[in-house]
Amino acid sequence: MSTFTENRSPNYLAALVGVFHNRQPQEKVIEYLDELALLADTAGFTVQTKFLQKVDFPNPRTYIGSGKIAEIAAWVKAEDIKLVVFDDDLTPAQCKNIEKEFGCAVLDRTGLILRIFSDRARSSQAKTQVELAHLQYLLPRLTGLWTHLERQRGGQGMRGGAGEKEIETDRRHIRNRISQLKQDLTRIDRQNQTRRQHRHSITRVSLVGYTNAGKSSLMNALCKTDVFAEDKLFATLDTTTRKVFFDNISYTLSDTVGFIRKLPHNLIECFKSTLDEVREADILLHVVDVAHPAYLEHIEVVQKTLVELNAANKPTILVFNKADKLTDEEVFQFEQSWIAKKNSPCILISATQRSKLVELHQTIIAEIRKINSTTYIDYH
């Protein structure tokens, strides 16, 4: 498995690979590759081309067929491609075999997301979480990193040469580091719980949504702050909390990492302490990029992730953002759609244009009053 660390420039070329089959149609895979291209751009690569292949069953050795492997290998050599990214997860053996065929670095979707998280982690907590997820991902892939070392047997009774010794040494170091990182996260989590207890008396509202839906931009608009916001995937990894006052009522608003299709499970596990803001929130603002052609699927991905976090049953306001990117006709069609009529409360806004923000504030306050009206003190 590649661990290349070259400085990436706009000329650092990459190719993408996706597979389709009866359960996953070609049109959907093309859409997924468009998202993978955004991930590659966020990681600092320029996507040169995309490859598609229909497969009934993945090749256990190279995931895709030998003919497509040869085609991509020729393209990689001719166009000086530095990286090939597969939209699906590869086994360590598959990745090793593919790199040997291509003669360049190979990443799967999980590896690319981990690279982005590593680049964008800022706080001590986020850096610890990302390092833990990366090491857990790397551990079973160590064999492919030591192919340059001697593998001659050391003599009768010896299992292997320098390569095997180096691998075992690295495995031991990684396992020790994983153990230390888990202890660090437990300590950080206790500190976070202490801080959250001080906010227990105030209503907590948390922003959730698919990555790049505009959560940070909405937080800036609602709180009149300058939280970092960028038109790229995973612009925000660290939790940011601000206090909001409206109509003589105050509440805290928290923004954290966005969700995405096929979000690696070990990342969800490692970020659970960060996502405690979501689990412990009183109200969720589910922000949706209504201008994205796959926004309905994005809603489903977020809802499934909330189920995994045991946070799916909280009062939720659907906030359809980026209305400024819709035409008047598209706005009318959305307002008449089943998604707008079925879900309540929901609101169509533009965070960057600050459109309908007063109405959103009023909707949040109405939900807070509902919660307060049903809250009672048990004296027994």
Side-chain angles (χ1 to χ4, degrees), residues 204-216:
R204 291 168 292 184
V205 180
S206 184
L207 293 160
V208 297
Y210 207 80
T211 182
N212 206 32
K215 299 188 305 302
S216 297

Side-chain angles (χ1 to χ4, degrees), residues 123 125-126 129 192 196 199 206 219 236-242 253-257 271 273-278:
S123 71
Q125 180 179 12
Q129 291 164 326
N192 289 341
R196 283 193 293 268
R199 305 197 305 260
S206 184
M219 186 166 190
T236 301
L237 296 185
D238 299 304
T239 298
T240 304
T241 300
R242 298 288 185 268
L253 184 64
S254 298
D255 181 25
T256 187
V257 62
F271 271 74
S273 57
T274 295
L275 293 170
D276 276 342
E277 291 288 350
V278 175

Side-chain angles (χ1 to χ4, degrees), residues 105-124:
V106 174
L107 286 175
D108 55 17
R109 182 183 177 87
T110 296
L112 184 61
I113 292 175
L114 284 170
R115 180 172 295 277
I116 293 169
F117 273 49
S118 179
D119 288 344
R120 291 184 168 251
R122 295 292 178 266
S123 71
S124 174

Side-chain angles (χ1 to χ4, degrees), residues 12-252:
Y12 203 101
L13 302 181
L16 310 181
V17 181
V19 302
F20 60 96
H21 41 72
N22 293 334
R23 301 176 305 282
Q24 185 166 271
Q26 182 174 349
E27 296 77 14
K28 185 62 67 175
V29 174
I30 292 173
E31 179 184 306
Y32 292 162
L33 285 182
D34 289 341
E35 181 177 87
L36 191 65
L38 290 176
L39 286 169
D41 176 68
T42 300
F45 303 106
T46 299
V47 175
Q48 177 79 353
T49 189
K50 304 171 186 175
F51 294 93
L52 283 169
Q53 186 180 39
K54 182 177 181 180
V55 296
D56 294 326
F57 300 99
N59 186 311
R61 183 178 179 277
T62 56
Y63 195 74
I64 54 177
S66 57
K68 184 61 69 173
I69 286 286
E71 177 188 344
I72 298 175
W75 185 276
V76 164
K77 183 177 181 180
E79 300 295 326
D80 194 26
I81 300 295
K82 301 296 185 184
L83 172 69
V84 177
V85 185
F86 282 69
D87 190 47
D88 298 296
D89 285 340
L90 302 173
T91 67
Q94 287 171 336
C95 197
K96 176 184 173 183
N97 293 333
I98 296 169
E99 282 191 339
K100 184 177 179 181
E101 295 284 350
F102 290 171
C104 74
V106 174
L107 286 175
D108 55 17
R109 182 183 177 87
T110 296
L112 184 61
I113 292 175
L114 284 170
R115 180 172 295 277
I116 293 169
F117 273 49
S118 179
D119 288 344
R120 291 184 168 251
R122 295 292 178 266
S123 71
S124 174
Q125 180 179 12
K127 290 177 180 178
T128 303
Q129 291 164 326
V130 172
E131 184 183 355
L132 176 58
H134 178 72
L135 291 178
Q136 290 173 334
Y137 174 78
L138 183 64
L139 189 58
R141 292 166 168 79
L142 280 180
T143 302
L145 300 178
W146 290 104
T147 53
H148 65 287
L149 292 178
E150 175 193 5
R151 287 196 169 274
Q152 295 178 349
R153 292 191 175 274
Q156 186 175 5
M158 300 292 291
R159 291 190 60 190
E164 283 76 2
K165 293 179 182 178
E166 291 286 359
I167 291 171
E168 289 307 317
T169 299
D170 273 9
R171 281 177 178 152
R172 183 169 62 254
H173 286 321
I174 288 177
R175 290 190 184 104
N176 290 340
R177 182 60 179 161
I178 286 174
S179 177
Q180 180 61 53
L181 290 170
K182 287 181 176 179
Q183 292 177 25
D184 291 344
L185 283 179
T186 299
R187 174 180 51 80
I188 293 172
D189 190 34
R190 284 198 299 264
Q191 294 171 348
N192 289 341
Q193 288 177 358
T194 301
R195 282 194 291 268
R196 283 193 293 268
Q197 285 173 358
H198 293 305
R199 305 197 305 260
H200 187 68
S201 60
I202 189 170
T203 303
R204 291 168 292 184
V205 180
S206 184
L207 293 160
V208 297
Y210 207 80
T211 182
N212 206 32
K215 299 188 305 302
S216 297
S217 296
L218 178 57
M219 186 166 190
N220 286 334
L222 290 175
C223 305
K224 298 179 181 179
T225 57
D226 57 352
V227 174
F228 179 72
E230 187 180 12
D231 189 20
K232 285 185 180 290
L233 305 185
F234 298 117
T236 301
L237 296 185
D238 299 304
T239 298
T240 304
T241 300
R242 298 288 185 268
K243 202 168 187 178
V244 182
F245 294 90
F246 186 84
D247 198 17
N248 295 321
I249 294 179
S250 64
Y251 60 92
T252 60

